[in-house]
Amino acid sequence: MTHKSIRIGGLTRVEGEGSLLVRARGGRVTDVELNIYEPPRFFEALLRGRDHTEPPDITARICGICPVAYQMSACQAIEAACGTEVSGPLRDLRLLLYYGEWIESHALHICLLHAPDFLGYDSGVAMAADHRHLVERGLALKKAGNELVAALGGRAVHPVNVRVGGFYRVPARAELAPVAERLRRAREEALATVEWVAGFDFPDVEHDYRFLALHHPAEYAILSGTIAVSDGTGFTAADWPAHIVEEQVPHSTALHARLDGTAGYLVGALARYALNGRQLSPLARSAAEAAGLGPVCRNPFRSIVVRAVEILHACDEAIRIIEDYTEPQAPSMPVEPRPGVGHGVSEAPRGTLYHRYRIDGAGLIAEADIVPPTSQNQARIEMDLRHLIEPRLDLPEAELAALCERAVRNHDPCISCSAHFLHLHLDR
């Protein structure tokens, strides 16, 4: 075989629309292109000229699965520009809301998008025919996350209760009691999910990843912190533009990102676990150890186990926050606009999400910059594919195409929200 070209016209079981092209010649992979072909959405341009209070509601529409992530990074960037920092019970409520999104997003990915790869099914629906109880458990976990988001955000998708400075309304302690009870059941379901996915048959693959994630001295960082890199370097949110630079590539409408001039770093569950695993809740740490993860996981196929551990951590910490909750005196802090630049970073389920806003003297957005996790991971996904495929080029065509899709799904890319059937074109 001197030449092979694999074209996957529509990646399946990922959120959004993308395709994949792999070219090989003389037993070597020469090109790997993860093509995100959805039209640009121009949210950063849409934000210019809008009031400084509007980014949380506007940017939430970027993603129906991770709207809270966009709201939290947006709020923190605007607040930083205005010289305000939200703390105390209001910060706890933001973290609680974020945990709800982590639970629902990870549960969806694990049980309906990723697990079918390991059990030999082409969809979650097909898997449900033989493993109904497993799919129902995953849906119950997702429902628990949705209910938590709705309790704090006003609704489960595109929450309407989040504002710069806090919330429009905060719940009374009694309102959270039934949510906590549901989360206690979800915690048991999450532990069972960790044990289930830990038993999958994982390909023996490891990559020398350069991880990047938020780090916080007192918690498993989700909402705030400094940016840590696995080579021992790090920087603050305000220094992000000096270290992370985006560039256009010909084959994708999404930008690629470079860290200190080098492409191919990784954000997301594997990065968070590698850099912050010791700060997981005791129950989640114990489950990770029992699942055989070790202090660092470099096998992308085992990312499904790390996400299950993160669900368990989110349930555990959400229960703790509710049990310790004291209703704040006001639902929000005043945020007075002033000219300035603010940076906000948080950990979306799929990885580190950065926002930057420049506000003018009238309190309007003059500039906006948003760097989502999937654009940061694109180059690394292409590197994963190159290393995975090259020693396996003699596999049958259908098997190689399926392996390519699995390698992409390991990173749970969020392109938007749709699904396609696979179209494969192979030239020799």
Side-chain angles (χ1 to χ4, degrees), residues 20 86 166 170 253:
L20 180 65
V86 173
V170 294
T253 57

Side-chain angles (χ1 to χ4, degrees), residues 96-118:
L96 184 61
L97 175 64
Y98 221 147
Y99 281 138
E101 180 163 278
W102 270 37
I103 294 167
E104 62 87 8
S105 176
H106 279 351
L108 169 67
H109 173 75
I110 290 170
C111 297
L112 294 181
L113 305 182
H114 207 182
D117 284 339
F118 298 95

Side-chain angles (χ1 to χ4, degrees), residues 268-345:
L270 291 180
R272 287 190 295 260
Y273 179 78
L275 294 168
N276 303 313
R278 289 174 294 180
Q279 293 170 300
L280 288 164
S281 72
L283 180 61
R285 279 202 314 272
S286 176
E289 183 178 351
L293 281 176
V296 178
C297 178
R298 298 186 179 276
N299 183 339
F301 290 92
R302 290 177 66 86
S303 64
I304 191 171
V305 183
V306 178
R307 291 188 181 92
V309 169
E310 288 192 331
I311 293 178
L312 181 58
H313 171 81
C315 291
D316 213 20
E317 287 297 291
I319 293 166
R320 179 191 60 78
I321 290 174
I322 293 174
E323 290 176 344
D324 295 341
Y325 174 60
T326 300
E327 188 175 345
Q329 293 182 346
S332 65
M333 298 176 60
V335 180
E336 298 298 329
R338 67 181 190 185
V341 176
H343 309 259
V345 184

Side-chain angles (χ1 to χ4, degrees), residues 33-45:
E33 296 180 358
L34 177 59
N35 178 4
I36 294 178
Y37 53 76
E38 289 190 1
R41 299 169 72 192
F42 303 114
F43 268 87
E44 291 151 322

Side-chain angles (χ1 to χ4, degrees), residues 55 64 79 94 103 107 119-120 127 143 147 165-166 170 194 197 217 223 253 279 282 292 301 389 391 402 416 421:
E79 289 155 5
R94 281 183 170 179
I103 294 167
L119 300 180
M127 189 176 81
K143 184 177 180 180
E147 290 175 351
V170 294
V194 175
V197 298
L223 188 57
T253 57
Q279 293 170 300
F301 290 92
I389 295 166
S416 61
F421 293 99

